[in-house]
Amino acid sequence: MPSKGHTPQEYPKHPFLLSSEHVITHLHSNDETGISPNKAQEAQKMYGPNKLEGEGGVKWYSVLLKQVSNAMILVLVLAMALSYGVTDYIEGGVITAVIILNVAIGFYQEFQAEKKMDSLRALSSPSAAVLRDGHIETIPSAEVVPGDIVQVKTGDTIPADLRLIEAMNLECDEKILTGEAIPVAKDLKIDLSGNNELETGVGDRLNMAYSSSTVTKGRGRGVVVFTGMYTEIGRIAASMQGKKRKPNRSLSRRKGGPMQPAKGVLLRTWDGIGAFLGLTVGTPLQRKLSKLAYVLFGCALLLAIIVFGVNKFNVTNEVAIYAISTGIAIIPESLVAVLTITMVVGMTQMRKRRVVIRQLSALEALGGVTNICSDKTGTLTLGQMITRKAWLPGVGMYSVDNAEEAADPTKGSVSLGPAPDFAKGGQEKEKKAFDRDAPAVSWHASVEKNTMAEKDETRSPTSSNSAEAPEITAELQQFLQSTALCNLASVRLDKEKKEWQTIGDPTEIALQVFAHRFQLGKKTLQEQQGWTQLAEYPFDSSIKRMSVIYSQGEKDNTYIFCKGAVERIVDLCTIIGTGPNQRTVTPEVKDEVLEQMTRLAQQGLRVMAIAQRQYGAYDDQVEVPREEVEKDLTLLGLAGLYDPPRLETKDAVRECATAGIKVHMLTGDHPSTAEAIAKEVGIIPTNRASLPHSVATSLVKAASEFDAMTDEEIDALPTLPLVIARCAPSTKTRMISALHRRRAFCAMTGDGVNDAPSLQAADVGIAMGLGGSDVAKGASDIVLTDDNFASIVNAIEEGRRMFDNIQKFILHLLTSNIAEVILLIVGLGFQDEAGFSVFPLSPLQILWINMLTSSFPAFGLGREKASYDIMRRPPHRSKHGVFTAQIIVDMLVYGTIMGTCTLLTFVIIVYGPGNADLGVDCNRYYSGSCDTVFRARAAVFAELTWLILISAWEFKNLRRSMFSLDPERSDGSTFPFFKDIYENRFLFYAVAIGAVSVFPAVYIPGLNTQVFKHMGITWEWGLSLGSVVVFVAGMEAWKACKRRFGWFAVGGIGEVEGRERTLGLRQGFISFSRAVSMRKSESDLDRDVVLQAGEKV
C-alpha cells in the first residue's frame, strides 16, 4: 500500500526479471553519474521517505505517562488530596491547576525534545553511499530514492532494494527475510528473464540486494528500485516491530528451570514498575536523577511525619496544610524538564559541530574522557592522498612535484631520478639525515630550488604525458598496470563541468590518479587492452593486503595483481624487479627493499608495495584459497603516498594536552610513517632524547611488539604507547583494556566491521560518518559527520559544557529547596495562640517560587556558554557524576545562608515591630490578627524570590566571583558584570522578569490574601533588599575561601595521569618552522633535508 499522496513504485516486470540497463533507463538514471540532487528531491516528494510506517518515532502516550509518574507530580497529587481533604478548595484548586499546567508544559517540552532527539538520532542511522552528479555522497538511508546508484561494501546495511549492476565477491546476510543463516552469494550473470515472479523466491533472486540485509563479504553497486514499504522488508514490516526482552525474562521452564516462570514474572513486573518510575530506563544521569526524585519524595514524607510529630499527631486541617508546605518545599518540580531540555540543546550543539549523538549516555561520558585513541588516515589527516614517490627496483625513483589537487592527474609534473643505493654505503648517510631522535624536524629547499619551484607555479602545470614526462618503460608499465587494476577506485573527467571526479578509498584514488598520469587508468586497460577481472580477494586488515585476478583475452592467460603493506608483500615475493633488473629475493635484497620503505616512511609517506604474478588457467567455478593465490609474487616497486595532516589537528592535539587528555594514534601505517605524522601534529615530541630512555622507547610501538607483550609487561610500562603502528582490530581492544587497568576513561575511533568490538569496549565509541561501515556506526556512541579529529575535541568540549551546566542548574534548584526546608522546619517553633505552627511560607508561595521563579533561570543555566577554562582543566571523575563534593557542600552552604537570611527577616518582622503577634488560624484565612504574619510572609516571599534569582547569576561560575567571571576578557572592561550577565539573554530576562513579578503577586487584591496568604508591605522591602546584599556577600566570601585555600580545586584525573605527569611528557607543543604541504616539491625534500625547529616538552 502506498503512503497517502505518494506515487506507487511500479515496473513492467519485477526488476530481477529485467536487465540492469532496462531498470536504469526506466528510472531515468545513469550508472556513471547517478541522478542529480534536484531529481532526488523530486523523487523524495514523489515516493516519500525511505522508512517503514510506524518505524521509530516518539509515542505521545509514553511521554505523558512519564510526566504523570514523576515523583514531583506524586507529591503535588498528595498535596492536592490533602487540600481538598481539609476543605481548602482554593488551595486545592490552585494545586490542581498547577499539576495540569506542569504536566501539560512538561509533556509539550519533552515531546518536542524527544522528537528533536529522534531526528538527530536519525542522522546516525544506517547511511548510504549514493552517486549523485558524479560524486559519491553519504546520506541517511531515509533520503535514498528510486534511481539512486548505491555503493555497498563489507559491513554495510543495504539501504533499499537494489537491482545490482556490479558485484565482486558480494555476499549478503538475508536471514531477516529468508530465515537462512548462510549468506547469499550474488551473481549478475544469472538469467532469470524466463522465470515467474511468484515461483522465484527472494533467496534465489541473485541479482537483487534487499533492504536491511547486511553485506558480509565483497562489494557491489546497484540501482535503487524499491524504498520504504515497497521493499521486501516493508511487506513483512510487522516482523520488525518485535521488542527484545532482557535476559532471564522468559516464562519457559525449559529455558530456566522449574522456577523460571515465577522469576520471569517478578523481573517483568520490576521492569514495568522501573520503566514507569524512570528507574530502569534512560541514561545513567536520568536514572540517577529519578532516584534522587524518589529519595526527595521519601524526605517529603519524612518531613510530613516530623510536622505531625511536633503537633503530637493531632492532625488537624492546619497541621495537614503545614505538612503540605514542607513536602512541596523539598521537591524541585522542574528538575526533569530542565534536564531534558538541556540534553536537547546539547545534542543540537553537537550536531552543529559535526557530531551526531547515538546514545544519550555519551553526552554525560564525553566530559570525563581522559584518553583518545584515534586512527590517522582521514581523521588526523585530510584523507586526500597523492602518490608522491614510486620506487622501481633497478630503474630509480619517480617523483610527483607541484601536484595541488589530489584528483587531477594533469596537474603537477613527474620526474625520474636515481634512488639511494643502500648496498653501496649510502645507508648510514640516509639514516643520519633522517635521525628520528634529532632535536626537531622541518623541511626547506635551497634558494635555487625555490626559484625553480616558483617558476613551475607561474606556468601551467605540466601534464604527465608531456615531452618532459619520463618514458614509459616496460618496468613502469607493469607497475602502473598492477597499480590500476588492483584498485577499486575510479577517476573520470566530467567534460561538462570540466572537473575531475573520483570515487573510492583515498589510498586507491591516489594510486589510480598516478596511473592516469601515464594514460594507463583502469578503464583504459579494461576497454582498450582487454583486461577482464575474474576474482577479487578484498583488503583484510589482519593481513593488510588485497589481490585481484585478471585475464587478458583467454582465461588461460591470467595474472594476479597484489598491493598492501610492504612487510606483508615482500615476504610473499620470490623475485624483485622485471626484465634486466630482475633479481631473486635474498635477505640482503629484502633489507634493501625495507630500507627504501623506511626512507619513504620517514618523510611521512604511506608506503605500499605493488606486486604481480602470472597465474595460468583460472576456473571461476572453483574457489581458490587465498594463500594459494598470494605466493611466489614478483615485487614491482613501492609507492609513497602523502596524506597531509589537517590544519586544525595540531591545535586540537594541543588543546587536548591542555585539557589533561592524552591522544594515542592507532594506525595501520608503517611505524616510521606514523611516527613522522605523530611528530608533525604534536602527539609525540620531536626530540625524545630529553626523556628517560624507558619512556622514549615506549612512545612508539609496532602492533606486533605490543601484542606480544603480556598484560603485566604492558602495565609495567612507564607510559602507554602514544603511537601504535600496523595496528590490527585486536590491538585496539588490548589498548582499551590497558587504559582501563590504569583507570583511564577512553574514547576510541573506528570505521570498519572489525572495529565494532573495540568501539563497544571503549567508554565512548566514535564511528566515522563518511568512511565508516554501518556495523561500526551501530556499535558506536557518537558519529562524526566529517571524520575530523578536531570534531572529537569539539564534542568533548561540548560534553564538558553540558556537564557543567547540569551541575549549575541542579545546584540552583536544590539550594532553594534546602533553604525552604530550613525555613519551614525551624518555623515549626512559630506557634499561634491555639498552639498551631505558623508557616513562614504558604504552600502556594512555595509552588510559585519552585515552578516559576526557579524553573526559568534553571533553563537559562542549562544554556550557559562554556567557561573560559573549560579545556584547561583535567576531565571530571566519571564515577562521581554530577554530585561532586563541591556541589554537595555548596548546596548545603548556600542553602543554609539563604534559609538563614529569610528566617531572620521573618523573625525581625514578627518579633520586632510585630510584638510576636502570630494571630489566629493564619495558615488558612486572613483576619485582622494576621496582619503581622501576612506582611512577614510577603517580605520572605519577595526576599526568597530575589535570592534564588540572584543565585542563578552567581552559579554562572562555581568558583569565580560573579563580578569577574572571565579574567581573560580582551575588551578592557574594568567592571564587566553587566556584560557578563547580559551575555546569556535567556537567563538575564528570566531573572529580570522573575524579580519584577514579585510586585503584582504581593499587591494584587484577592490574589495576595486569598491565594498566597500574604499582603502588601512597605518598610519591609528594606529587609528584603538588604538580605540580597548579605546573601551575595556570603556567596562571594565562600567562593573567595574556595579560591584562597584551594578547596575543591580540580585535581588529577587518576593514577595514570599522575604517573605520566611526573615524566614531564606533554603533547601538542611542537612547532615547525615549515610544515610539509601537498604543494611542496618532493624532489626538493629528498635532496635538501634540514633539521631545524623547536619543541617544548
Side-chain angles (χ1 to χ4, degrees), residues 372-389:
I372 302 174
C373 299
S374 174
D375 191 12
K376 177 183 77 71
T377 305
T379 305
L380 294 167
T381 61
L382 286 171
Q384 298 176 0
M385 296 190 180
I386 289 182
T387 303
R388 286 292 194 189
K389 299 286 184 181

PDB file of all heavy atoms in Angstrom, residues 372-389:
ATOM      1  N   ILE A 372      42.164   9.621  24.200  1.00  0.00           N
ATOM      2  CA  ILE A 372      41.524   9.434  22.891  1.00  0.00           C
ATOM      3  C   ILE A 372      42.436   8.554  22.051  1.00  0.00           C
ATOM      4  O   ILE A 372      43.612   8.873  21.841  1.00  0.00           O
ATOM      5  CB  ILE A 372      41.299  10.771  22.160  1.00  0.00           C
ATOM      6  CG1 ILE A 372      40.444  11.721  22.999  1.00  0.00           C
ATOM      7  CG2 ILE A 372      40.642  10.533  20.808  1.00  0.00           C
ATOM      8  CD1 ILE A 372      40.310  13.115  22.398  1.00  0.00           C
ATOM      9  N   CYS A 373      41.900   7.447  21.576  1.00  0.00           N
ATOM     10  CA  CYS A 373      42.628   6.565  20.659  1.00  0.00           C
ATOM     11  C   CYS A 373      42.057   6.804  19.266  1.00  0.00           C
ATOM     12  O   CYS A 373      40.914   6.455  18.994  1.00  0.00           O
ATOM     13  CB  CYS A 373      42.470   5.098  21.055  1.00  0.00           C
ATOM     14  SG  CYS A 373      43.113   4.718  22.690  1.00  0.00           S
ATOM     15  N   SER A 374      42.873   7.404  18.411  1.00  0.00           N
ATOM     16  CA  SER A 374      42.378   7.837  17.105  1.00  0.00           C
ATOM     17  C   SER A 374      43.122   7.157  15.969  1.00  0.00           C
ATOM     18  O   SER A 374      44.320   6.866  16.079  1.00  0.00           O
ATOM     19  CB  SER A 374      42.534   9.360  16.967  1.00  0.00           C
ATOM     20  OG  SER A 374      42.181   9.795  15.665  1.00  0.00           O
ATOM     21  N   ASP A 375      42.397   6.913  14.900  1.00  0.00           N
ATOM     22  CA  ASP A 375      43.016   6.478  13.656  1.00  0.00           C
ATOM     23  C   ASP A 375      43.733   7.684  13.045  1.00  0.00           C
ATOM     24  O   ASP A 375      43.522   8.829  13.450  1.00  0.00           O
ATOM     25  CB  ASP A 375      41.943   5.950  12.711  1.00  0.00           C
ATOM     26  CG  ASP A 375      42.533   5.234  11.507  1.00  0.00           C
ATOM     27  OD1 ASP A 375      43.744   4.956  11.523  1.00  0.00           O
ATOM     28  OD2 ASP A 375      41.792   4.962  10.554  1.00  0.00           O
ATOM     29  N   LYS A 376      44.596   7.420  12.072  1.00  0.00           N
ATOM     30  CA  LYS A 376      45.335   8.509  11.427  1.00  0.00           C
ATOM     31  C   LYS A 376      44.651   8.977  10.150  1.00  0.00           C
ATOM     32  O   LYS A 376      44.250  10.126  10.020  1.00  0.00           O
ATOM     33  CB  LYS A 376      46.778   8.083  11.107  1.00  0.00           C
ATOM     34  CG  LYS A 376      47.574   9.162  10.368  1.00  0.00           C
ATOM     35  CD  LYS A 376      48.957   8.686  10.005  1.00  0.00           C
ATOM     36  CE  LYS A 376      48.947   7.755   8.799  1.00  0.00           C
ATOM     37  NZ  LYS A 376      48.639   8.457   7.529  1.00  0.00           N
ATOM     38  N   THR A 377      44.527   8.077   9.193  1.00  0.00           N
ATOM     39  CA  THR A 377      44.091   8.449   7.854  1.00  0.00           C
ATOM     40  C   THR A 377      42.659   8.972   7.856  1.00  0.00           C
ATOM     41  O   THR A 377      41.736   8.285   8.288  1.00  0.00           O
ATOM     42  CB  THR A 377      44.199   7.248   6.898  1.00  0.00           C
ATOM     43  OG1 THR A 377      45.538   6.757   6.942  1.00  0.00           O
ATOM     44  CG2 THR A 377      43.838   7.653   5.489  1.00  0.00           C
ATOM     45  N   GLY A 378      42.495  10.196   7.386  1.00  0.00           N
ATOM     46  CA  GLY A 378      41.178  10.793   7.266  1.00  0.00           C
ATOM     47  C   GLY A 378      40.658  11.396   8.549  1.00  0.00           C
ATOM     48  O   GLY A 378      39.667  12.131   8.524  1.00  0.00           O
ATOM     49  N   THR A 379      41.297  11.106   9.674  1.00  0.00           N
ATOM     50  CA  THR A 379      40.862  11.654  10.954  1.00  0.00           C
ATOM     51  C   THR A 379      41.852  12.709  11.431  1.00  0.00           C
ATOM     52  O   THR A 379      41.505  13.878  11.604  1.00  0.00           O
ATOM     53  CB  THR A 379      40.719  10.536  12.005  1.00  0.00           C
ATOM     54  OG1 THR A 379      39.846   9.521  11.501  1.00  0.00           O
ATOM     55  CG2 THR A 379      40.140  11.087  13.292  1.00  0.00           C
ATOM     56  N   LEU A 380      43.095  12.292  11.630  1.00  0.00           N
ATOM     57  CA  LEU A 380      44.146  13.258  11.936  1.00  0.00           C
ATOM     58  C   LEU A 380      44.657  13.925  10.667  1.00  0.00           C
ATOM     59  O   LEU A 380      45.184  15.038  10.711  1.00  0.00           O
ATOM     60  CB  LEU A 380      45.300  12.558  12.656  1.00  0.00           C
ATOM     61  CG  LEU A 380      44.987  12.013  14.054  1.00  0.00           C
ATOM     62  CD1 LEU A 380      46.091  11.090  14.522  1.00  0.00           C
ATOM     63  CD2 LEU A 380      44.779  13.140  15.048  1.00  0.00           C
ATOM     64  N   THR A 381      44.509  13.216   9.553  1.00  0.00           N
ATOM     65  CA  THR A 381      44.956  13.755   8.262  1.00  0.00           C
ATOM     66  C   THR A 381      43.752  14.055   7.379  1.00  0.00           C
ATOM     67  O   THR A 381      42.620  13.717   7.716  1.00  0.00           O
ATOM     68  CB  THR A 381      45.887  12.752   7.553  1.00  0.00           C
ATOM     69  OG1 THR A 381      45.154  11.537   7.315  1.00  0.00           O
ATOM     70  CG2 THR A 381      47.103  12.445   8.402  1.00  0.00           C
ATOM     71  N   LEU A 382      44.018  14.656   6.226  1.00  0.00           N
ATOM     72  CA  LEU A 382      42.919  15.059   5.337  1.00  0.00           C
ATOM     73  C   LEU A 382      42.241  13.900   4.643  1.00  0.00           C
ATOM     74  O   LEU A 382      41.089  13.992   4.228  1.00  0.00           O
ATOM     75  CB  LEU A 382      43.448  16.028   4.270  1.00  0.00           C
ATOM     76  CG  LEU A 382      43.765  17.449   4.727  1.00  0.00           C
ATOM     77  CD1 LEU A 382      44.480  18.203   3.630  1.00  0.00           C
ATOM     78  CD2 LEU A 382      42.497  18.178   5.124  1.00  0.00           C
ATOM     79  N   GLY A 383      42.966  12.788   4.483  1.00  0.00           N
ATOM     80  CA  GLY A 383      42.405  11.679   3.731  1.00  0.00           C
ATOM     81  C   GLY A 383      42.365  11.958   2.237  1.00  0.00           C
ATOM     82  O   GLY A 383      41.615  11.325   1.503  1.00  0.00           O
ATOM     83  N   GLN A 384      43.175  12.922   1.780  1.00  0.00           N
ATOM     84  CA  GLN A 384      43.278  13.256   0.351  1.00  0.00           C
ATOM     85  C   GLN A 384      44.715  12.974  -0.081  1.00  0.00           C
ATOM     86  O   GLN A 384      45.585  13.837  -0.016  1.00  0.00           O
ATOM     87  CB  GLN A 384      42.912  14.714   0.110  1.00  0.00           C
ATOM     88  CG  GLN A 384      41.487  15.047   0.484  1.00  0.00           C
ATOM     89  CD  GLN A 384      41.187  16.518   0.325  1.00  0.00           C
ATOM     90  OE1 GLN A 384      42.041  17.304  -0.070  1.00  0.00           O
ATOM     91  NE2 GLN A 384      39.962  16.912   0.640  1.00  0.00           N
ATOM     92  N   MET A 385      44.950  11.748  -0.497  1.00  0.00           N
ATOM     93  CA  MET A 385      46.317  11.313  -0.743  1.00  0.00           C
ATOM     94  C   MET A 385      46.776  11.606  -2.168  1.00  0.00           C
ATOM     95  O   MET A 385      45.978  11.637  -3.102  1.00  0.00           O
ATOM     96  CB  MET A 385      46.440   9.812  -0.464  1.00  0.00           C
ATOM     97  CG  MET A 385      46.184   9.441   0.973  1.00  0.00           C
ATOM     98  SD  MET A 385      46.608   7.738   1.287  1.00  0.00           S
ATOM     99  CE  MET A 385      46.188   7.611   3.022  1.00  0.00           C
ATOM    100  N   ILE A 386      48.090  11.799  -2.277  1.00  0.00           N
ATOM    101  CA  ILE A 386      48.745  11.962  -3.572  1.00  0.00           C
ATOM    102  C   ILE A 386      49.946  11.023  -3.593  1.00  0.00           C
ATOM    103  O   ILE A 386      50.694  10.947  -2.616  1.00  0.00           O
ATOM    104  CB  ILE A 386      49.211  13.409  -3.788  1.00  0.00           C
ATOM    105  CG1 ILE A 386      48.006  14.323  -4.011  1.00  0.00           C
ATOM    106  CG2 ILE A 386      50.173  13.513  -4.960  1.00  0.00           C
ATOM    107  CD1 ILE A 386      48.374  15.764  -4.286  1.00  0.00           C
ATOM    108  N   THR A 387      50.087  10.299  -4.684  1.00  0.00           N
ATOM    109  CA  THR A 387      51.277   9.464  -4.843  1.00  0.00           C
ATOM    110  C   THR A 387      52.462  10.369  -5.139  1.00  0.00           C
ATOM    111  O   THR A 387      52.582  10.931  -6.224  1.00  0.00           O
ATOM    112  CB  THR A 387      51.086   8.443  -5.981  1.00  0.00           C
ATOM    113  OG1 THR A 387      49.935   7.646  -5.708  1.00  0.00           O
ATOM    114  CG2 THR A 387      52.307   7.539  -6.105  1.00  0.00           C
ATOM    115  N   ARG A 388      53.341  10.526  -4.163  1.00  0.00           N
ATOM    116  CA  ARG A 388      54.481  11.422  -4.295  1.00  0.00           C
ATOM    117  C   ARG A 388      55.704  10.704  -4.863  1.00  0.00           C
ATOM    118  O   ARG A 388      56.503  11.299  -5.579  1.00  0.00           O
ATOM    119  CB  ARG A 388      54.844  11.990  -2.923  1.00  0.00           C
ATOM    120  CG  ARG A 388      53.890  13.036  -2.394  1.00  0.00           C
ATOM    121  CD  ARG A 388      53.965  14.291  -3.211  1.00  0.00           C
ATOM    122  NE  ARG A 388      53.318  15.416  -2.545  1.00  0.00           N
ATOM    123  CZ  ARG A 388      53.104  16.572  -3.119  1.00  0.00           C
ATOM    124  NH1 ARG A 388      53.470  16.758  -4.370  1.00  0.00           N
ATOM    125  NH2 ARG A 388      52.514  17.545  -2.466  1.00  0.00           N
ATOM    126  N   LYS A 389      55.857   9.443  -4.497  1.00  0.00           N
ATOM    127  CA  LYS A 389      57.040   8.694  -4.884  1.00  0.00           C
ATOM    128  C   LYS A 389      56.646   7.324  -5.414  1.00  0.00           C
ATOM    129  O   LYS A 389      55.662   6.735  -4.975  1.00  0.00           O
ATOM    130  CB  LYS A 389      57.976   8.506  -3.683  1.00  0.00           C
ATOM    131  CG  LYS A 389      58.500   9.777  -3.067  1.00  0.00           C
ATOM    132  CD  LYS A 389      59.555  10.408  -3.939  1.00  0.00           C
ATOM    133  CE  LYS A 389      60.143  11.638  -3.259  1.00  0.00           C
ATOM    134  NZ  LYS A 389      61.157  12.283  -4.097  1.00  0.00           N
TER     135      LYS A 389
END
